[in-house]
């Protein structure tokens, strides 16, 4: 597949520790103690210029073990980009570490990162030595998704891994919980302020003039121990004859002192240095050739704008020489690599330089927009396209930005970086975009993948209008996207039509897009229940997508083929295909793998392997992020709801059904809503609540007496189950015969078995017991090769009694016994969900099993919302459980509850 955009390796290098720094032993001791005490998180949080990065890099140089560093920028708020940097930084520590994460992020849609991170956490858990991961400038991260996934990562860190975050503002993590558990080591602005001895040491090392104790005290008062202000003061004092008078003349609050110091520093530089600082302030990172491009230097010859300066010691004219001078002069330039090729300005210094550039343009020198454009050209020419786009946009060169986005967009979408693509395009006026049909389609796909249906219609229409004029083969891309949309919305006929129109227009050599067209044709047939017809279309889709390296289309094709084999009754073959696919993917759990786990769980559930099924579902659903609405997750919710019902956990079953319905409504999909309602009706009938099921029947538009649409067989079978209590057998049997003939014509063995089992029940109700036994025996013969069990066990005691009367062939005895055993176990509440009391002699009133579950999760630090998500119960139910726990333990808070439970060995 296409490579992802390159990452800046310099952002992964630990900043160089400059010589002559003031030792800050009191703080480095605290950093070390946080590690030795086993704190999960060390938070170094303070405003700009407090010396956070310098302190951590100085301390890190004294630490043994693995050390990974990531310097963050605003663009890294893209979740995929953020985690790519982390994975790459880990690979610097140990070859191959983080490979699973990097490979997973190549998925065509944004992976459910909590699932992916589970693999990374397992890798980290196998480390033999300690590892410190530092995230610098985390305040640039604005993505809620990044915050949530990093919180998950933090909550599950192995003991030998420590996370250290450097930031100007506190991240939205559960810091209070971490404090209560003793898992948080904090260094704040008040801690980072230089003490009087530290200020004296800093100033005396930078200034030759003798300062009195009063001077130091006054400087401390004026700067409040602020590291950047002290450094600026030291720079200004170098050329002051009257140092005491200079310090005494300070007035005003911190902001004015800062402005004054910066003005003094800038005004004391030569014009060459001052102009260089202003012009390069637009750059987040600096190297010689980049600065040459931005400032317009001609390093190969003379340039009248650049002169040799005896005062600064500059005899070369290149930007590289100026950067070296700036570093040696401590002019807020920080080296980023050991070769000292890349640098950055101190953040606050950079902010103020840019402010000066905006309000005081230099006559005869280019303004910010031109500087950004020159930077963009350098980045583009040197293989950093994403940085080039950002600078083109900042420079107002929309045309060049769009040209580059158009080239990059599809590879970024395929690798999951939708947020970056849409983030760029959202800043651009629509009239600039809609004139570019290729870009419109890329934008529409990105928005579609992100679940923003209201936003992408105009871009699809713009592309379609442009390509229809010339009957352009790319018109097929439009119809492919429309086919996908129609199928999800339930308009299967329209989806199939769109897919065929796509094939009519696409270039015969365009395997990438033709593969998608065949995928949609196969999916349309699958949704209709025409499984045999779907298989050749899906096999062709798989072949074309594999040949064109369309990983998204290939993965969906493989999973659709598995979905074909399940209704055909080929459970064993479907299970084998699931496991082969997972083995191919390995530990690289990408987005499509989640559907694979859900499909496998449904197969295992039918074979009554409920524990295994539950494990696969929990694995798949654990990666669901908030506000993610997807058909795969709806399927997972429904299967898990049925398992929870079977094991007696009706509370969780109801909550899962509610979530499935909310997701289906958000997707505006009648097909998915119907599936939800069928499960709700089926569970209501299993709980002997036919009135609830009847409510659905009254809104379905179906009756047993009218001409039935046999393609809606799942719904009709629910009607049959409802009618068992109110209709005579002879009124129901003709419909079952029609349904079986229909299922037989489509080779739908699973459907046939359901019909045959229901027919057995109806014959038994009509006092035709031998006919019922014969029908059930026939179903057993058909179901045994693929180990169908739940299709019998889910129908209740009538079938169980009939099975006990059957005398199967010796070879089938174990199969029949397994079915009978499933009746005995399926209604038995599991230990994890039982409300039976667990004894603890010290308590007057015992905790229920569910209350024990809640108490255990409280101890792990989960919030109420996270706890509800974990147990699949409502937030209100969590609060009720907490209230009961507090009452029974005689406590009034979470912390007290955990402490008391530990005393009683309840957790």
């Amino acid at each position: 597949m296409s490579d992802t955009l390159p990452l800046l390796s310099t952002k992964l290098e630990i900043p160089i520790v400059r010589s002559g720094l003031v030792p800050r032993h009191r703080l480095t001791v605290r950093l070390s103690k946080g590690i030795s005490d086993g704190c999960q998180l060390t938070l170094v949080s303070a405003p700009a210029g407090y010396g956070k990065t310098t302190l951590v890099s100085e301390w890190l140089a004294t630490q043994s073990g693995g050390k990974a560093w990531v310097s963050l920028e605003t663009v890294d708020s893209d979740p995929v980009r953020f985690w790519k940097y982390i994975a790459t930084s880990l690979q610097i520590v140990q070859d191959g570490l983080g490979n699973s994460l990097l490979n997973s992020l190549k998925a065509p849609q944004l992976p459910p990162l909590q699932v992916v991170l589970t693999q990374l956490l397992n890798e980290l858990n196998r480390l033999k030595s300690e590892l410190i991961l530092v995230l610098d400038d985390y305040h640039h991260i604005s993505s809620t998704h990044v915050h949530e996934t990093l919180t998950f990562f933090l909550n599950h860190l192995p003991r030998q891994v420590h996370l250290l975050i450097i930031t100007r503002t506190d991240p939205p993590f559960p810091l209070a919980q971490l404090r209560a558990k003793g898992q948080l080591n904090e260094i704040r602005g008040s801690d980072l302020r230089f003490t009087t001895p530290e200020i004296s040491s800093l100033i005396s090392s930078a200034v030759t003039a003798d300062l009195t104790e009063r001077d130091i005290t006054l400087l401390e008062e004026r700067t409040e121990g602020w590291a950047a202000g002290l450094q600026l003061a030291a720079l200004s004092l170098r050329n002051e004859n009257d140092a005491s008078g200079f310090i005494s003349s300070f007035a005003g609050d911190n902001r004015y002192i800062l402005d004054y110091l910066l003005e003094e520093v800038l005004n004391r530089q030569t014009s060459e240095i001052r102009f260089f600082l202003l012009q390069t302030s637009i750059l987040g990172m600096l190297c010689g050739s980049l600065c040459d491009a931005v400032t317009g230097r001609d390093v190969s010859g003379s340039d009248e704008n650049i002169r040799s300066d005896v005062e600064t010691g500059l005899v070369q004219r290149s930007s590289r020489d100026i950067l070296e001078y700036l570093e040696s002069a401590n002019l807020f330039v920080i080296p980023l690599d050991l070769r000292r090729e890349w640098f950055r300005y101190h953040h606050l210094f950079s902010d103020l330089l840019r402010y000066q550039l905006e309000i005081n343009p230099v006559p005869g020198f280019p303004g910010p927009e031109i500087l950004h454009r020159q930077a963009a050209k350098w980045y583009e020419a040197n293989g950093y396209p994403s940085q080039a786009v950002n600078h083109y946009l900042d420079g107002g060169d929309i045309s060049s930005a769009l040209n580059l986005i158009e080239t990059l967009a599809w590879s970024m979408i395929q690798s999951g970086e939708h947020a970056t693509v849409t983030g760029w395009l959202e800043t651009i006026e629509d009239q600039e975009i809609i004139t570019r049909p290729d870009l419109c389609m890329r934008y529409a796909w990105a928005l579609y993948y992100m679940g923003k249906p209201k936003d992408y219609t105009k871009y699809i229409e713009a592309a379609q209008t442009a390509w229809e004029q010339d009957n352009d083969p790319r018109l097929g891309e439009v119809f492919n996207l429309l086919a996908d949309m129609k199928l999800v919305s339930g308009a299967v006929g329209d989806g199939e039509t769109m897919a065929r129109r796509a094939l009519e227009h696409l270039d015969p050599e365009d395997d990438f897009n033709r593969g998608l067209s065949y995928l949609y044709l196969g999916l349309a047939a699958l949704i209709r229940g025409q499984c045999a017809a779907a298989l050749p279309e899906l096999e062709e889709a798989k072949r074309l997508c594999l040949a064109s390296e369309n990983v998204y289309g290939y993965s969906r094709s493989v999973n659709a083929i598995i979905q074909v084999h399940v209704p055909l009754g080929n459970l064993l073959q479907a299970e084998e295909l699931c496991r082969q696919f997972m083995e191919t993917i390995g530990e690289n759990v990408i987005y499509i793998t989640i559907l694979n786990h859900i499909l496998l769980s449904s197969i295992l559930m039918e074979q009554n392997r409920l524990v295994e099924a539950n494990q696969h579902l929990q694995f798949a659903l654990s990666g669901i992020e908030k506000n993610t609405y997807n058909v795969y997750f709806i399927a997972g919710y429904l299967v898990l709801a049925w398992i929870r019902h079977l094991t007696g956990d009706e509370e969780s079953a109801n909550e899962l059904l509610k979530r499935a319905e909310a997701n289906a409504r958000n997707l505006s999909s009648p097909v998915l809503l119907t599936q939800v309602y069928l499960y709700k009706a089926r569970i209501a009938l299993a709980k002997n609540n036919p009135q609830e099921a009847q409510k659905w029947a009254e809104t379905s538009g179906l009756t047993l007496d009218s001409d039935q649409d046999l393609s809606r067989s799942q719904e009709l079978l629910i009607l049959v189950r409802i009618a068992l209590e109110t209709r005579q057998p002879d009124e129901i049997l003709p419909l079952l015969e029609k349904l079986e003939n229909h299922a037989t014509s489509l080779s739908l063995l699973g459907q046939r078995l359901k019909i045959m089992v229901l027919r057995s029940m109806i014959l038994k109700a009509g006092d035709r017991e031998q006919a019922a036994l014969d029908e059930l025996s026939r179903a057993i013969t058909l179901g045994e090769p693929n180990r169908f069990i739940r299709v019998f066990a889910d129908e209740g005691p009538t079938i169980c009694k009939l099975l006990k009367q059957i005398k199967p062939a010796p070879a089938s005895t174990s199969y029949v016994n397994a079915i009978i055993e499933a009746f005995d176990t399926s209604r038995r509440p599991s230990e994890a969900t039982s409300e039976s009391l667990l004894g603890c002699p010290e308590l007057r009133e015992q905790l229920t099993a569910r209350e024990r579950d809640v108490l255990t999760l409280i101890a792990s630090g989960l919030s109420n919302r996270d706890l509800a998500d974990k147990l699949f119960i409502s937030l209100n139910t969590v609060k009720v459980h907490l209230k009961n726990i507090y009452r029974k333990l005689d406590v009034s808070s979470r912390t007290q509850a955990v402490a008391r439970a530990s005393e009683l060995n309840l957790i």
Side-chain angles (χ1 to χ4, degrees):
M1 298 306 298
S2 302
D3 291 332
T4 55
L5 295 175
L7 304 180
L8 287 168
S9 60
T10 50
K11 292 171 62 172
L12 307 176
E13 297 199 32
I14 301 172
I16 307 299
V17 178
R18 293 186 290 111
S19 60
L21 290 175
V22 175
R24 311 202 73 188
H25 182 68
R26 62 186 176 86
L27 297 178
T28 56
V29 166
R30 286 179 56 180
L31 289 172
S32 296
K33 191 174 187 302
I35 300 297
S36 62
D37 288 350
C39 292
Q40 287 179 311
L41 173 65
T42 294
L43 182 66
V44 182
S45 180
Y50 270 75
K52 302 181 292 294
T53 301
T54 301
L55 169 68
V56 173
S57 54
E58 176 190 2
W59 166 76
L60 210 57
T62 68
Q63 300 300 298
S64 58
K67 294 170 277 192
W69 185 285
V70 182
S71 296
L72 298 166
E73 299 174 281
T74 303
V75 70
D76 300 325
S77 285
D78 184 300
V80 172
R81 196 162 187 81
F82 177 88
W83 285 105
K84 282 181 181 177
Y85 268 113
I86 288 184
T88 307
S89 75
L90 294 175
Q91 294 192 326
I92 296 173
V93 176
Q94 179 178 306
D95 239 7
L97 184 61
N99 267 347
S100 64
L101 176 56
L102 278 177
N103 291 331
S104 295
L105 295 180
K106 295 176 183 177
Q109 294 198 21
L110 184 65
L113 286 171
Q114 289 185 1
V115 176
V116 174
L117 292 177
T118 299
Q119 306 302 313
L120 175 60
L121 288 163
N122 289 336
E123 286 185 63
L124 293 173
N125 193 43
R126 293 192 287 268
L127 290 176
K128 302 300 182 185
S129 59
E130 289 195 341
L131 168 67
I132 300 170
L133 171 60
V134 180
L135 302 182
D136 193 11
D137 291 337
Y138 190 81
H139 52 269
H140 286 306
I141 302 302
S142 58
S143 167
T144 301
H145 193 174
V146 171
H147 296 321
E148 291 174 352
T149 53
L150 188 57
T151 299
F152 171 83
F153 180 78
L154 173 63
N155 285 338
H156 297 85
L157 273 182
R159 285 176 296 177
Q160 67 270 34
V161 182
H162 311 278
L163 180 62
L164 194 156
I165 289 180
I166 305 171
T167 180
R168 294 183 187 178
T169 57
D170 282 5
F173 299 162
L175 299 181
Q177 294 175 19
L178 290 171
R179 285 191 197 102
K181 294 163 60 181
Q183 290 293 316
L184 178 62
N185 183 28
E186 297 176 83
I187 293 182
R188 298 285 179 176
S190 57
D191 305 311
L192 288 162
R193 289 174 180 168
F194 274 55
T195 62
T196 301
E198 287 172 341
I199 293 173
S200 179
S201 178
L202 184 151
I203 296 298
S204 63
S205 66
V207 180
T208 56
D210 291 329
L211 297 180
T212 66
E213 185 175 338
R214 180 182 179 278
D215 292 333
I216 298 297
T217 302
L218 185 58
L219 193 56
E220 182 181 7
E221 290 177 357
R222 295 290 190 248
T223 63
E224 296 185 32
W226 178 60
L230 290 167
Q231 290 180 25
L232 287 167
L235 285 171
S236 298
L237 284 167
R238 288 178 183 178
N239 300 311
E240 283 292 339
N241 294 323
D242 182 8
S244 295
F246 176 78
I247 294 173
S248 297
S249 66
F250 288 164
D253 60 26
N254 248 12
R255 178 169 62 87
Y256 293 113
I257 296 172
L258 171 61
D259 290 344
Y260 178 80
L261 288 172
L262 284 174
E263 287 293 338
E264 283 295 306
V265 172
L266 281 177
N267 290 340
R268 291 176 184 274
Q269 304 307 312
T270 64
S271 59
E272 174 190 18
I273 297 300
R274 187 165 61 254
F275 294 154
F276 179 89
L277 291 171
L278 292 171
Q279 289 179 293
T280 57
S281 66
I282 64 150
L283 301 172
M285 303 175 68
L286 309 100
C287 71
S289 59
L290 172 57
C291 293
D292 284 337
V294 170
T295 61
R297 278 169 167 71
D298 180 6
V299 296
S300 62
S302 63
D303 188 327
E304 293 181 358
N305 290 325
I306 311 300
R307 61 180 175 80
S308 194
D309 194 318
V310 176
E311 178 188 344
T312 63
L314 289 173
V315 293
Q316 299 283 333
R317 306 182 189 191
S318 70
S319 296
R320 180 182 179 87
D321 291 319
I322 295 179
L323 289 170
E324 289 177 357
Y325 163 73
L326 294 175
E327 184 192 7
S328 65
N330 288 327
L331 271 170
F332 297 97
V333 173
I334 301 169
L336 297 174
D337 58 0
L338 293 172
R339 297 176 302 278
R340 281 176 160 73
E341 292 179 355
W342 284 90
F343 300 83
R344 69 170 174 84
Y345 291 126
H346 184 284
H347 296 307
L348 183 61
F349 192 54
S350 175
D351 291 342
L352 292 172
L353 287 173
R354 285 196 294 270
Y355 178 68
Q356 291 291 320
L357 182 65
E358 290 285 349
I359 65 171
N360 295 315
V362 181
F365 280 81
E369 286 196 347
I370 294 176
L371 295 173
H372 277 295
R373 293 179 190 183
Q374 290 171 173
K377 291 175 183 177
W378 185 92
Y379 275 119
E380 184 174 4
N382 286 273
Y384 299 104
S386 62
Q387 285 79 11
V389 171
N390 290 330
H391 280 286
Y392 276 132
L393 291 174
D394 289 338
D397 188 351
I398 303 302
S399 178
S400 295
L402 289 175
N403 289 339
L404 197 49
I405 295 171
E406 201 163 23
T407 303
L408 298 171
W410 191 245
S411 64
M412 294 179 70
I413 292 169
Q414 285 284 294
S415 63
E417 296 188 61
H418 314 96
T420 299
V421 174
T422 56
W424 284 333
L425 294 175
E426 283 169 357
T427 66
I428 299 172
E429 296 292 335
D430 273 347
Q431 57 264 32
E432 299 279 358
I433 299 173
I434 60 176
T435 59
R436 297 168 176 257
D438 275 312
L439 185 60
C440 283
M441 281 307 300
R442 305 295 179 261
Y443 197 10
W445 274 109
L447 292 168
Y448 178 59
Y449 284 144
M450 293 180 72
K452 298 181 177 180
K454 295 179 181 178
D455 297 337
Y456 53 66
T457 305
K458 57 186 172 186
Y459 302 112
I460 297 175
E461 292 174 350
Q464 184 172 359
T465 300
W467 286 335
E468 278 180 341
Q469 295 175 357
D470 303 319
N471 198 29
D472 194 301
R474 290 173 294 179
L475 190 58
E477 295 181 34
V478 174
F479 293 125
N480 267 343
L481 178 52
L482 292 173
D484 201 318
M485 294 166 54
K486 295 294 184 183
L487 291 175
V488 170
S489 70
V492 181
D494 292 341
E496 181 181 21
T497 299
M498 292 296 106
R500 296 197 184 283
R501 291 187 68 183
L503 287 172
E504 292 171 3
H505 287 86
L506 289 169
D507 190 304
E509 303 299 317
D510 187 357
D511 289 353
F512 189 100
N513 285 296
R514 289 173 65 83
L516 292 178
S517 302
Y518 281 105
L519 168 65
Y520 299 136
L521 289 175
L523 289 174
L526 177 60
I527 293 170
R528 288 196 181 103
Q530 300 167 346
C531 295
L535 203 52
E537 306 283 16
L538 294 172
E539 290 288 357
E540 179 66 2
K542 175 183 169 183
R543 183 187 71 81
L544 292 171
C545 291
L546 182 62
S548 61
E549 296 185 331
N550 183 343
V551 69
Y552 170 70
Y554 174 76
S555 300
R556 282 194 69 182
S557 301
V558 170
N559 281 314
I561 289 170
I562 293 169
Q563 288 176 284
V564 164
H565 284 293
V566 171
L568 289 176
N570 304 326
L571 297 187
L572 299 181
Q573 184 176 354
E575 180 183 354
E576 180 62 22
L577 287 172
C578 280
R579 298 194 186 278
Q580 286 177 0
F581 186 76
M582 292 177 187
E583 186 176 344
T584 301
I585 299 299
E587 291 190 357
N588 306 324
V589 185
I590 62 173
Y591 174 82
I592 299 299
T593 311
I594 288 181
L595 174 59
N596 215 254
H597 282 280
I598 293 172
L599 292 174
L600 181 55
S601 70
S602 65
I603 296 166
L604 296 171
M605 183 182 70
E606 175 53 48
Q607 296 173 334
N608 204 43
R609 295 153 67 182
L610 299 184
V611 173
E612 289 180 76
N614 188 67
Q615 289 172 346
H616 283 280
L617 280 171
Q618 292 286 2
F619 181 81
L621 295 176
S622 65
I624 297 179
E625 288 82 18
K626 294 176 182 178
N627 302 320
T628 298
Y629 301 100
N630 191 280
V631 58
Y632 301 158
F633 300 143
I634 295 171
Y637 282 145
L638 295 177
V639 176
L640 187 57
W642 186 252
I643 291 177
R644 292 296 170 86
H645 158 69
L646 292 177
T647 56
D649 190 354
E650 301 297 351
E651 181 185 45
S652 288
N654 290 336
E655 179 64 21
L656 286 160
L657 290 172
K658 289 179 183 177
R659 295 187 190 188
E661 183 173 355
N663 281 296
R665 289 189 183 282
N666 229 294
L667 283 171
S668 302
S669 174
V671 171
L672 296 175
L673 274 172
T674 297
Q675 288 297 312
V676 175
Y677 295 149
L678 287 176
Y679 266 84
K680 291 176 75 172
R682 186 78 179 86
I683 288 177
L685 287 171
K687 292 163 61 177
N688 295 316
N689 186 4
Q691 295 83 4
E692 186 66 27
Q694 184 64 38
K695 291 179 183 178
W696 163 80
E698 291 170 357
T699 62
S700 68
L702 293 172
T703 67
L704 294 179
D705 302 317
S706 59
D707 291 335
Q708 292 90 9
D709 179 358
L710 298 181
S711 67
R712 298 174 67 180
S713 57
Q714 297 283 358
E715 297 166 81
L716 289 168
L717 288 179
I718 294 292
L719 287 182
V720 168
R721 290 186 177 95
I722 295 173
L724 284 174
E725 301 295 327
T726 59
R727 296 291 191 100
Q728 294 299 315
D730 290 342
E731 297 179 73
I732 305 174
L733 288 172
L735 174 59
L736 285 181
E737 185 176 356
K738 290 180 184 178
L739 287 172
E740 184 176 9
N741 291 337
H742 178 71
T744 302
S745 69
L746 296 174
S747 302
L748 302 179
L749 177 60
Q751 192 75 345
R752 286 184 64 198
L753 289 173
K754 292 178 183 178
I755 294 166
M756 294 165 73
V757 172
L758 279 173
R759 185 186 285 121
S760 299
M761 295 173 64
I762 294 169
L763 291 170
K764 170 67 175 173
D767 295 326
R768 298 166 61 183
E769 185 167 292
Q770 188 56 50
L773 291 171
D774 292 342
E775 184 73 0
L776 196 56
S777 296
R778 192 162 66 97
I780 289 171
T781 301
L782 291 176
E784 182 178 7
N786 281 277
R787 303 292 294 178
F788 280 88
I789 292 181
R790 296 265 24 125
V791 71
F792 300 96
D794 287 346
E795 297 302 340
T798 299
I799 295 298
C800 185
K801 291 176 182 177
L802 288 172
L803 282 169
K804 290 178 178 179
Q805 298 177 53
I806 287 178
K807 296 180 180 180
S812 300
T813 301
S814 63
Y815 173 57
V816 174
N817 288 340
I819 299 174
I820 294 172
E821 184 180 346
F823 284 95
D824 296 333
T825 60
S826 62
R827 295 295 185 266
R828 184 186 304 155
S830 67
E831 182 180 350
T833 57
S834 173
E835 292 300 314
S836 62
L837 300 179
L838 302 177
C840 178
E842 291 87 347
L843 292 180
R844 295 179 181 176
E845 186 178 356
Q846 302 297 321
L847 296 174
T848 66
R850 177 46 59 83
E851 288 165 357
R852 290 273 293 269
D853 290 339
V854 170
L855 191 54
T856 300
L857 292 175
I858 290 174
S860 70
L862 291 186
S863 66
N864 285 3
R865 171 53 63 193
D866 291 337
L867 201 152
D869 291 341
K870 186 78 173 177
L871 295 177
F872 298 106
I873 57 179
S874 69
L875 187 58
N876 186 61
T877 300
V878 170
K879 293 176 181 178
V880 171
H881 284 313
L882 285 174
K883 183 178 179 181
N884 291 337
I885 290 169
Y886 293 169
R887 176 176 54 79
K888 292 178 181 181
L889 295 181
D890 193 23
V891 297
S892 59
S893 71
R894 281 169 162 253
T895 304
Q896 292 174 359
V898 171
R900 178 63 174 150
S902 298
E903 291 175 8
L904 299 174
N905 294 317
L906 292 172
I907 56 176

